[in-house]
Amino acid sequence: MKGTTGEQRMILTREDLVQGLRGCGLQAGSTVIAHSSMRKLGFIVGGAETLVRALLDVVGEEGTIVLPSQTWKNLDPETGVHGEEPEAWWPIIREHWPAYDKAVTPSIGMGAAAETLRAWPGAERSDHPARSFAAVGKHAAEVTRDHDLRNIFGDGSPLAKLYELDGDILLIGVGHDKNTSLHLAEYRANYPGKRLATENSAIMVDGKRSWVAYETLAVDDADFVRLGELYEREHGIVPQRIGGAEVRLLKQRPLIDWAVNWMNANRS
């Protein structure tokens, strides 16, 4: 069928998605972090709920689905996260932005599937006020436990837990610019420009909302697309298709190990 802009669109059911995901190599028992563009897939009958159900169908009771549930507007407006708002409002935002509550605070800009999984029955969510992850399945509690305020994406973070579990990365209709796992490589790499940055978020401290400063790695995804393309070419990874979307399923651990070496050699 044709979309309003003339592109060929697909209509996809839960069964279609299950078959497509299995065809891409996703298996029962997998622990997988997914990034998706539902628009690229096509018209999904039932929307984000259907996509989440399909993912859970494929990995089964022994598997785990992880999605980023970040709330990055819970950062200082000086960083640009509220760039559309006048500077005169910044003190009000700092004073009144709600403290992060992992049971209530909605994800921001992570897509409908991530927000659906965050609210899914039995979902676990990590404690970071700006860079949380949500998970459902066998290892959900393990993946999301002890997400330190100062350690957003490094060792001990949900991304590192996925590495320890020899997990997968699933990119549905998105490229490596959305591949959050590559930030783990940044933490492990040693390159000249590596530096720390001070961030601020609203959190609860001793039962009271507080605006808290914390030091963490300054991350940069500007080279993620180039890095990902080189990795795919070198390892012969061929994208599959589900509906209208290119889909990539990669093992996280070898990608991170390769990316650390690449960053050491190529980042300034």
Side-chain angles (χ1 to χ4, degrees):
M1 60 184 293
K2 295 278 189 180
T4 55
T5 58
E7 80 277 11
Q8 195 72 25
R9 293 183 68 217
M10 302 284 288
I11 183 168
L12 299 167
T13 65
R14 178 173 169 180
E15 291 74 17
D16 293 329
L17 292 171
V18 167
Q19 290 180 13
L21 291 166
R22 286 177 176 153
C24 291
L26 189 63
Q27 298 179 352
S30 295
T31 299
V32 58
I33 182 168
H35 305 272
S36 64
S37 168
M38 292 180 56
R39 180 183 62 81
K40 291 287 184 64
L41 281 165
F43 179 81
I44 300 174
V45 182
E49 176 188 345
T50 295
L51 178 57
V52 171
R53 288 190 184 279
L55 288 165
L56 292 172
D57 285 345
V58 175
V59 302
E61 293 184 0
E62 293 297 305
T64 307
I65 302 297
V66 183
L67 292 171
S69 56
Q70 298 180 27
T71 52
W72 47 267
K73 287 203 171 186
N74 188 6
L75 290 169
D76 198 294
E78 189 175 38
T79 64
V81 296
H82 297 280
E84 71 279 11
E85 311 305 348
E87 187 172 347
W89 293 4
W90 292 0
I92 300 172
I93 293 171
R94 292 186 185 105
E95 185 176 356
H96 295 282
W97 194 264
Y100 174 70
D101 181 341
K102 66 181 179 181
V104 174
T105 305
S107 60
I108 297 174
M110 297 292 105
E115 181 60 11
T116 299
L117 188 86
R118 178 196 70 80
W120 203 262
E124 302 282 351
R125 192 182 190 187
S126 68
D127 290 322
H128 200 279
R131 290 356 189 290
S132 67
F133 293 81
V136 172
K138 180 177 180 179
H139 297 294
E142 177 183 353
V143 168
T144 57
R145 185 182 300 121
D146 300 328
H147 193 177
D148 185 78
L149 187 65
R150 294 165 181 80
N151 185 16
I152 298 174
F153 300 127
D155 290 329
S157 72
L159 294 178
K161 305 281 184 59
L162 190 70
Y163 183 96
E164 292 164 8
L165 290 165
D166 195 21
D168 299 315
I169 299 167
L170 182 63
L171 304 175
I172 304 175
V174 299
H176 288 280
D177 54 323
K178 303 298 183 184
N179 188 352
T180 310
S181 288
L182 290 173
H183 289 303
L184 176 59
E186 285 189 288
Y187 270 80
R188 293 182 174 178
N190 291 297
Y191 47 91
K194 191 172 184 178
R195 62 183 180 84
L196 297 177
T198 300
E199 296 191 342
N200 299 264
S201 297
I203 63 173
M204 296 297 291
V205 178
D206 297 328
K208 295 179 60 178
R209 179 209 177 271
S210 298
W211 186 247
V212 173
Y214 51 96
E215 197 171 60
T216 188
L217 181 69
V219 295
D220 180 9
D221 61 6
D223 55 9
F224 282 9
V225 171
R226 178 183 171 214
L227 184 160
E229 289 174 350
L230 289 170
Y231 181 81
E232 289 184 20
R233 191 178 310 134
E234 185 174 310
H235 291 79
I237 295 170
V238 178
Q240 306 297 310
R241 293 198 77 84
I242 300 177
E246 282 194 344
V247 180
R248 294 165 172 83
L249 181 71
L250 309 93
K251 295 300 295 183
Q252 191 215 42
R253 188 179 290 174
L255 172 61
I256 297 308
D257 293 345
W258 184 93
V260 168
N261 291 328
W262 188 90
M263 291 178 183
N264 287 342
N266 292 278
R267 280 197 170 186
S268 57

